[in-house]
Amino acid sequence: MDIKAPDLGVDSAEVSEIMVEVGDVIAKDDNIILLESDKASVEVPSSAAGKVTKISVAIGDQVSEGMVLIELESAEDSAESDDSAAEDNQEASDTEAAAKSEAKVEPAATESKPSATPVSNAGKATTHALPDLGVDEAQVSEIMVSVGDIVAADQSILLIESDKASVEVPAPVAGKIEKILVETGDMVANGQDFIIIVSDAADEGESTSDSAELKPSAPAKSEEKAAAKPTAEPKQAEKSATPNAVASKQADKLTEAQVNEKLVDVYAGPAVRKLARQLGVDITQVNGSALNDRILKEDLFAHVKESLTTQKAAPASSSTISSGLPKLPDMSNTEIWGETDTQDLSRLQKVSIPQLNYNTLLPQVTQFDLSDITETEKLRGELKGSMKAEGIGFTILAFVVKATAHALTQHPRFNSHLSDDNTQVILRKSVNMGIAVATDDGLIVPVIKNVQDKGLKQIAIEIGELAVKARDKKLSTKDLQGASFTISSQGNLGGTAFTPLVNWPQVGILGVSEASMQPRWNAKTQSFEPRLMLPLSLSYDHRVINGADAAVFTRYITTLLADPRHILI
């Protein structure tokens, strides 16, 4: 009898825990498998009672609706089989015990294999360089492997973070980690050597074979977890008997990594691991509270709370960024300074500081203006109903992006960069518009490419898509590269104007504040009329842009926004 996966509510989910083993007798509705997606953990119950004869999935497998999870022998068939085999019970028990003993010995044999025949002796050690990261430099946020680990090609081994995105660097080849050339906190660049891997076709095949043999034993059952500590003593004995203690320790690591398939000796689901990376938490330091010490999201939150409460000193980064400001005064004297508290910046805020420090080197000026968008808002109101029916959010920002892109084609100096020697202006032939998006972690600026060639509808679609990806932390490196100009809209957050910071190496940024009804004088009717006015704030690099040019450029944008026909021509 096949027990299949029910409707999971998602396209697929990952097997996080297998709660039964072959030979177990289970009742209907007993939980058999724990599945995890990015959003939730689900325990799958059995739809029938009987004896488990086969487990068709392993930890780490992706499961979808209708996939066979386990095979059962019905309770009646099981009872008949037990009666007919009553005389052989003792013999079967002995055989099973011997099989289990052999199963326990086999991983140890696998563990000793690397120390007996090191991969480094047979394979060739090759130094590998970082691929194109999409930025000039980024910080090593997490190292996901250790020296001695066996990795597969394209397996994630480093987590690199820049001021705008996190990127997992895959293993360039399959093999054994000989040496890691970078450390957590290091600033790295494209093409920099970062790891040495010993690869060999025979060894890779042997490693793959070993992994395949171990995969069926991957399910993390309570009995195996409970037996993990008692088996530590034999491992220690084996280690002490091995001439090379370091190699033996690496062999232990290798077997554990192969068993859980992720080379991380932590019992946690993918959603929990993702959250740990987002919080900047070292998951190996978190204590799990669930069955078999499995780590839950609540455990991560508790760990963070405890860390903040005890004010643990964070490890110093090897790349401290100086803002040029003097050090803070000593605030330990509470009679002078009063009570203080310490709160860590988010990871995005930390890595954004160097970029923000560039603004101290820019002679930045801001030009303010108002645009009468009364007619544009009427047009938007007429179109937003049909747009909404198609699932498109049609805001005034789409008009601002389109108008600004058109203005940049007419005033190309605002769509440029200043050369390093300050003797030339590099003009961009396409308009790649950065759109500032507020997230819980800070401000992120994804980029809409070639805006000058796109209509209002397409722009609205891409604004919505990038905003969702930014808030879900799913932006790729390409989504964040190549901006030639930036728009920062505060929407309906309030305020009449603000001074946006130029995002170097760009030379301009347009700030958009909340629109409001204001009385405007109509010379024809000789009276004041209520008009919807949109405040604009253009900040620019004064080395490239003159004040008069900035005033003309800003006024041109207000004119385009006042009459949408200019945008649509």
Side-chain angles (χ1 to χ4, degrees), residues 3-15:
I3 304 300
K4 300 180 180 181
D7 181 6
L8 306 175
V10 291
D11 292 336
S12 66
E14 184 173 306
V15 178

Side-chain angles (χ1 to χ4, degrees), residues 41 61 74 83 113 158 216 290 293 305 342 386 394 398 401 417 422 439 529:
S41 300
D61 286 355
S74 67
D83 291 340
K113 191 182 297 182
L158 286 185
D293 298 328
K305 183 177 181 180
T342 302
S386 59
F394 195 48
V401 171
H417 310 290
N422 296 339
T439 69
E529 297 178 353

Side-chain angles (χ1 to χ4, degrees), residues 422-444:
N422 296 339
T423 62
Q424 294 178 316
V425 173
I426 304 169
L427 302 176
R428 298 282 290 272
K429 294 184 178 181
S430 59
V431 178
N432 291 351
M433 193 73 72
I435 306 295
V437 177
T439 69
D440 293 339
D441 294 330
L443 203 64
I444 298 180

Side-chain angles (χ1 to χ4, degrees), residues 122-141:
K124 180 181 178 182
T126 306
T127 302
H128 298 276
L130 287 168
D132 182 7
L133 304 174
V135 292
D136 293 334
E137 64 175 5
Q139 187 176 45
V140 178
S141 174

